[in-house]
Amino acid sequence: MTACLKGMAGLLVPGMLCLMTQLAHAQPKESTPVRRPNVILIYTDDQGTVDAGCYGSEDLITPAIDRLAARGIRFTQMYAPSAICSASRAGMLTGRFPARAGVPGNVSSAKGHAGMPTSEVTIAEMMRDGGYVTGHVGKWHLGYTPETMPNGQGFDSSFGHMGGCIDNYSHFFYWNGPNRHDLWRDGKEIWRDGEFFPDLIAAECIDFIEKNRERPFFLYWAINVPHYPLQGTEKWRQRYRDLEAPRRMYAEFVSTMDERVGQVLDRVEELGLEERTIVIFQSDHGHSTEERTFGGGGSAGPYRGAKGCLFEGGLRVPSIISWPGTLPEGEVRDQMVTGCDWLPTLADLCGLQRPQVHLDGKSIRGVLESADAASPHETFYWHLGGGKNPQWVVRDGDWKLLGNPRDSSNKGKLTADDRLFLVNLAEDPSESRNVAGEHPEVLEKMVELRDRYVESLGKE
C-alpha cells in the first residue's frame, strides 16, 4: 500500500483508509479474478515531433514504431509534461505538473544528489499496490540517492544509468567533470565495459518479460536514445551513409533504437502476450539542437521549437498506445492530451486505484475509445526552470500564451516585446507571429489563467 500511504500523507489514518478502500474492491474468494493487462511504457529521449515513418518521415526507417501505430492509436497532439528530461519524466510518472512534483528542471547527474521527492507517488507505486511486479530499464535522471533512485520510487528491479546520459560503450558520464561511471543494478554499481548499452537494455527488457510472464507486470523502459552521444551501429551507418549531417548521425541512432524496440516487441508476440499487454511509446520531449548533438538532426516538421523550449517543437511529441484486441487499431487521435495523463489512464485501463493526491493529468480512456470524444483538458500549464523568470505556457483551447519564451530551433527572432507571446494554434500552428497586441482581452484572460495555475502550485 505504498502509494496509498504516500498519497494520504498528512491525514490521521491513511493506512486504514487505503485498506478499507482496497477491501471494498477485493474479489470474493470464490470468484476467478480477471488478469490485469501487462504494461510496457517506452519513453524515448530527444526524439523529434515527426521522427518516425508513421509520422510522415520519408528518410527514417522505423518499422517497429510503425507496427505499433498500425496495431494501435497514434496521437497528433500529445504534449510532453515538459521540454527537458527530468521534468518530463517526473510529470509522466506522477501525473502531476513537474513543478508540482518538485522537478521544474533537470536533476543533477552527480551521485549523491537527491531528485524527485519521495513523497511523490509514481505509476510504479500505483501498479505495485495493485499486484504488479514493476521494473525500470534504461535512463532514470530523477535522483542519485538510494531514496530517489528507482528502487526507492516503486520499482522492484532497476537496471540502467542514473544521470542524464552516458557513453554507450564505456557507460561513463563525460559531459562535466569529473568523468564518472554510471551503470547500476538495484542500487549497486556494476561494470559491463565495452557492451553496447542499447543491446543491454533490450536484453534486460526481454529477461524481465520472460521472468514475469505469468503475472501482471509494469515495465518502464526509458530508452536513452536518440539522446547524445549519437552512436548508431555500423549497420545503420552504412544504410544512411548518403544522408547529410547532422541528420545522418541522428537517423543512424533512431533506427538503432527502433531495431531494439522491435526485438522486445517480437518477444512479447512469441510469448503470446500481445493481446494481454498495453504498449505505450512516447518521446520525453522534442529533438535536441545542442552542440553535443551536432546542432540538430531531429525534426519538428512544421512546428517551431525544440528541446529546452516551450514552443510546439519542444512539447509536441510522437506518441502511440497499442493494446490489440481491446483498443482500436490503426487509428489516429487529434485531441490535445498530455504525458501527465498516462497515470490516471493506466489506472482506468488496469482497474487500479488512483493515488489520493491532486492529479493534473486526466484519464484519456474516452479519447482512446472514440475519435469523437472531447479532450479532457480545456486548459493546461507548463513551467520550465526555476528562478524569477522561468519559461511557462498556458493553453486554453486553441489559444496558447508563452511567457519568457526562448526558441532553441532558431526559426524566428524573439525581442523584448515577446516576453508574452500569444498565438492561436488553429490559425498559426507554426507559432510564427505574436498576436498579443491584437488581442488584449485574450491576453488578459490568459495571464489570469496562468496566475491561477501558479497559485495552485503552492497549495496542492
Side-chain angles (χ1 to χ4, degrees):
M1 295 187 291
T2 307
C4 289
L5 291 172
K6 289 173 73 172
M8 300 292 287
L11 299 181
L12 292 175
V13 285
M16 183 179 297
L17 290 175
C18 288
L19 179 60
M20 291 171 64
T21 303
Q22 289 182 342
L23 290 175
H25 291 87
Q27 290 278 348
K29 289 184 179 181
E30 63 272 19
S31 69
T32 301
V34 176
R35 169 161 171 158
R36 291 181 167 128
N38 308 313
V39 177
I40 301 174
L41 200 163
I42 304 172
Y43 218 52
T44 66
D45 201 352
D46 292 11
Q47 184 178 357
T49 308
V50 297
D51 282 333
C54 57
Y55 276 91
S57 174
E58 296 181 354
D59 59 352
L60 296 180
I61 303 168
T62 57
I65 300 171
D66 301 344
R67 176 174 47 159
L68 271 179
R71 296 298 312 271
I73 298 167
R74 179 173 64 85
F75 298 96
T76 65
Q77 202 176 175
M78 167 64 77
Y79 288 89
S82 182
I84 205 75
C85 296
S86 297
S88 175
R89 292 155 202 275
M92 183 274 295
L93 285 172
T94 66
R96 288 153 62 84
F97 295 146
R100 197 189 305 281
V103 189
N106 267 342
V107 170
S108 172
S109 291
K111 185 179 179 181
H113 285 259
M116 186 170 67
T118 57
S119 56
E120 293 298 315
V121 184
T122 68
I123 294 178
E125 289 168 313
M126 178 185 76
M127 304 294 271
R128 191 170 65 182
D129 283 357
Y132 280 73
V133 59
T134 58
H136 155 262
V137 173
K139 174 173 172 172
W140 182 241
H141 208 192
L142 282 171
Y144 216 146
T145 63
E147 297 80 13
T148 60
M149 288 164 71
N151 297 102
Q153 297 281 27
F155 290 96
D156 297 316
S157 63
S158 171
F159 174 88
H161 61 95
M162 298 299 107
C165 58
I166 55 171
D167 172 78
N168 287 287
Y169 293 95
S170 69
H171 315 135
F172 268 72
F173 180 92
Y174 291 121
W175 287 268
N176 58 300
N179 298 333
R180 51 191 178 271
H181 181 259
D182 185 6
L183 185 61
W184 302 78
R185 183 185 297 281
D186 296 332
K188 296 182 180 179
E189 187 175 15
I190 62 172
W191 296 79
R192 301 287 293 270
D193 308 50
E195 297 184 66
F196 189 47
F197 189 67
D199 285 342
L200 291 177
I201 55 177
E204 287 289 327
C205 288
I206 290 171
D207 184 63
F208 177 86
I209 292 166
E210 290 176 343
K211 286 181 177 177
N212 297 292
R213 57 184 167 180
E214 298 301 328
R215 59 180 295 193
F217 62 77
F218 169 63
L219 173 61
Y220 170 44
W221 185 11
I223 303 178
N224 64 319
V225 184
H227 193 289
Y228 58 79
L230 304 182
Q231 295 173 307
T233 61
E234 180 63 17
K235 169 185 174 179
W236 294 109
R237 284 195 288 271
Q238 290 300 320
R239 193 69 173 269
Y240 289 112
R241 63 183 179 274
D242 296 327
L243 203 60
E244 291 188 7
R247 182 68 167 176
R248 180 180 72 250
M249 295 84 94
Y250 176 84
E252 293 163 0
F253 214 21
V254 168
S255 289
T256 295
M257 171 190 74
D258 182 87
E259 191 171 34
R260 275 73 192 162
V261 170
Q263 291 167 2
V264 174
L265 296 180
D266 286 346
R267 191 60 182 141
V268 170
E269 291 186 25
E270 290 164 1
L271 293 171
L273 298 176
E274 188 179 21
E275 294 193 354
R276 288 163 48 186
T277 304
I278 299 169
V279 178
I280 296 168
F281 178 94
Q282 183 162 318
S283 179
D284 61 346
H285 46 65
H287 68 287
S288 171
T289 57
E290 297 161 274
E291 181 181 8
R292 291 171 285 193
T293 192
F294 306 104
S299 176
Y303 303 110
R304 182 178 186 176
K307 173 184 178 181
C309 76
L310 301 180
F311 283 103
E312 292 291 285
L315 290 173
R316 194 182 291 227
V317 293
S319 179
I320 300 162
I321 183 171
S322 175
W323 187 7
T326 300
L327 292 179
E329 300 184 29
E331 295 192 5
V332 176
R333 296 291 183 268
D334 299 319
Q335 299 93 325
M336 186 186 83
V337 292
T338 81
C340 293
D341 297 334
W342 287 124
L343 185 150
T345 301
L346 287 174
D348 266 7
L349 295 177
C350 300
L352 301 174
Q353 185 178 3
R354 300 183 192 186
Q356 299 300 302
V357 298
H358 174 89
L359 295 177
D360 296 297
K362 299 180 184 296
S363 175
I364 60 171
R365 183 172 183 170
V367 171
L368 299 179
E369 293 173 347
S370 172
D372 296 324
S375 166
H377 298 288
E378 294 183 5
T379 67
F380 207 75
Y381 179 68
W382 291 265
H383 176 118
L384 175 56
K388 295 182 179 179
N389 295 300
Q391 297 179 67
W392 56 265
V393 161
V394 65
R395 173 90 183 255
D396 185 0
D398 290 326
W399 288 106
K400 177 180 177 182
L401 178 65
L402 299 94
N404 307 310
R406 57 183 296 261
D407 179 10
S408 49
S409 67
N410 295 314
K411 284 189 175 180
K413 184 179 179 181
L414 292 171
T415 71
D417 293 334
D418 294 319
R419 186 181 64 84
L420 292 176
F421 194 104
L422 180 69
V423 295
N424 186 297
L425 291 173
E427 299 174 358
D428 182 16
S430 63
E431 299 173 292
S432 60
R433 195 167 69 89
N434 183 2
V435 297
E438 300 169 28
H439 299 277
E441 72 291 346
V442 176
L443 178 64
E444 181 180 7
K445 175 185 175 184
M446 299 291 280
V447 169
E448 291 175 353
L449 179 59
R450 189 261 175 167
D451 289 344
R452 292 198 297 271
Y453 270 121
V454 171
E455 184 180 3
S456 79
L457 292 178
K459 293 181 178 179
E460 299 173 289

